[in-house]
């Protein structure tokens, strides 16, 4: 059966979309830790990552593949359908029994949608702190586009809240009643500190030079990962967050906004986003 027959026909996102404007910016990388923490705090996602992912052995490769996949979904045109099918095939084998003794499957619509939906929430939060806040109207359009991508990924209309207001209520409910502290959350929090992380393979950076840089990078990633989380989840994970931390995050956000306005688009955007937008 062809890919087109397996997944619904969904028009690809184009240059008139909010997603094209916001997703390709490299500054969104600062929100990666938050997105991942939101995801693995879901018991199904946390169990699947713990049992089947190699992100602790290959953190840079895993990050690269995740970003490439997201960029393909947003900017890939017809390639987005192929990528959606690849993701579903990949997740078919991810199943097992979690630490509660419950069976899980990565294609469980509740968990599959949570991964997609929490990425939307994190992107909006990143825009607010590090780039430029979206207006209510822009967020409504962006959410509608994200639902279209959800359909492309194989979710159904009833799996996803109908509008932004419904999503906000859904998100708050999941944070309050579904997310948990677990082994994968703790592994990820350690990984974000970068204490054991090798230098990125695409940089010519010997270990001797990487060693003094690594703590600063870990501090920034940890500040962003914890600071961007919703407060109820920070409390549940017993993550310390002080007024001083909040001021540091705000200063970093202000610096990123200024820097982003001065960096040329070809450097500020990921190559796939830049090439696609340039046409």
């Amino acid at each position: 059966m062809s890919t087109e027959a397996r997944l619904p026909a969904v028009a690809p996102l184009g240059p008139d979309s909010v997603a094209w404007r916001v997703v390709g910016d490299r500054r969104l990388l600062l929100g990666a830790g938050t997105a991942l923490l939101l995801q693995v705090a879901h018991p199904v996602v946390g169990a699947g990552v713990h049992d089947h992912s190699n992100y602790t052995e290959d953190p840079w490769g895993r990050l690269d593949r995740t970003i490439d996949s997201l960029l393909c979904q947003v900017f890939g045109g017809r390639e987005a359908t192929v990528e959606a099918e690849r993701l579903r095939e990949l997740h078919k084998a991810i199943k097992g029994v979690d630490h509660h003794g419950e069976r899980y499957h990565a294609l469980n619509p509740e968990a599959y949608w949570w991964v997609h939906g929490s990425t939307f929430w994190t992107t909006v939060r990143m825009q607010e702190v590090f780039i430029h806040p979206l207006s209510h109207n822009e967020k409504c359009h962006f959410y509608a586009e994200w639902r279209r991508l959800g359909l492309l990924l194989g979710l159904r209309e009833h799996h996803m809240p109908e509008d932004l207001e419904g999503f906000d209520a859904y998100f708050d409910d999941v944070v309050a009643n579904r997310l948990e502290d677990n082994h994968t959350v703790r592994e990820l929090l350690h990984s974000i500190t970068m204490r054991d992380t090798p230098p990125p393979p695409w940089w010519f950076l010997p270990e001797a030079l990487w060693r003094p840089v690594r703590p600063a990078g870990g501090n920034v990633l940890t500040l962003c990962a914890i600071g961007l989380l919703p407060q109820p989840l920070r409390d549940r994970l017993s993550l310390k967050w002080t007024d001083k931390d909040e001021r540091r995050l705000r200063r970093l956000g202000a610096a990123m906004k200024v820097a982003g306005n001065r960096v040329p688009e070809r450097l500020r955007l990921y190559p796939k986003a830049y090439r696609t937008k340039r046409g």
Side-chain angles (χ1 to χ4, degrees):
M1 186 182 298
S2 68
T3 297
E4 289 76 15
R6 283 194 292 265
L7 291 173
V10 178
L13 300 181
D16 59 337
S17 66
V18 177
W20 264 45
R21 179 155 54 84
V22 304
V23 170
D25 196 301
R26 291 183 186 271
R27 286 171 289 181
L28 294 179
L29 186 61
L30 292 170
T34 300
L36 291 170
L37 284 170
L38 284 168
Q39 292 166 15
V40 302
H42 190 289
V44 173
V45 182
V49 169
H50 178 263
D51 293 345
H52 297 274
S53 176
N54 69 335
Y55 80 93
T56 55
E57 292 81 22
D58 182 25
W60 298 113
R62 183 69 182 86
L63 180 62
D64 245 4
R65 292 188 291 274
T66 300
I67 292 172
D68 286 347
S69 177
L70 181 60
L71 293 174
C72 187
Q73 292 169 49
V74 174
F75 297 101
R78 295 185 182 277
E79 292 178 14
T81 302
V82 177
E83 175 59 16
E85 179 66 18
R86 184 192 71 83
L87 287 173
R88 290 190 66 81
E89 287 297 319
L90 177 69
H91 285 82
K92 282 181 180 178
I94 300 177
K95 51 188 172 181
V97 178
D98 66 18
H99 67 280
H100 298 294
E102 300 288 335
R103 292 191 174 277
Y104 70 83
H105 194 292
L107 288 180
N108 172 330
E110 181 215 3
Y112 209 54
W113 161 243
W114 174 248
V115 171
H116 189 57
S118 59
T119 301
F120 165 80
W121 185 90
T122 305
T123 304
V124 171
R125 181 88 168 102
M126 283 293 306
Q127 283 286 136
E128 173 190 342
V129 176
F130 291 107
I131 303 175
H132 182 75
L134 298 176
S135 68
H136 178 73
N137 189 51
E138 288 172 324
K139 284 189 280 189
C140 287
H141 281 289
F142 188 28
Y143 179 68
E145 294 161 8
W146 217 250
R147 287 184 90 243
R148 280 169 58 186
L149 293 181
L151 293 173
L152 185 66
L153 290 168
L155 292 159
R156 299 292 179 258
E157 294 275 0
H158 65 275
H159 294 147
M160 302 175 285
E162 184 175 343
D163 53 25
L164 181 65
E165 286 70 26
F167 174 80
D168 288 341
Y170 152 83
F171 181 86
D172 290 344
D173 179 66
V174 173
V175 169
N177 300 304
R178 188 72 167 118
L179 303 190
E180 64 174 16
D181 197 350
N182 57 45
H183 180 74
T184 312
V185 167
R186 292 298 147 182
E187 279 191 336
L188 181 58
L189 284 167
H190 174 76
S191 178
I192 290 169
T193 67
M194 298 176 64
R195 290 174 191 149
D196 309 315
T197 304
W202 56 86
W203 289 359
F204 180 69
L205 195 61
E207 179 64 28
L209 294 178
W210 172 244
R211 198 177 302 119
V213 172
R214 182 166 48 202
N219 288 339
V220 169
L221 289 180
T222 300
L223 179 74
C224 295
I226 295 175
L228 296 173
L229 285 175
Q231 182 66 48
L233 185 57
R234 277 204 303 256
D235 293 343
R236 185 167 315 130
L237 301 180
S238 301
L239 297 174
K240 181 181 177 183
W241 188 254
T242 65
D243 290 341
K244 181 179 179 180
D245 293 327
E246 183 67 27
R247 289 193 296 271
R248 289 173 60 210
L249 181 66
R250 295 300 167 185
R251 286 197 297 268
L252 178 62
M256 288 294 101
K257 288 174 181 177
V258 171
N261 292 332
R262 297 179 178 177
V263 173
E265 194 174 59
R266 63 184 178 82
L267 298 178
R268 182 170 50 81
L269 299 179
Y270 285 102
K272 186 174 185 64
Y274 179 73
R275 290 193 301 268
T276 305
K277 292 175 75 170
R278 298 283 288 186

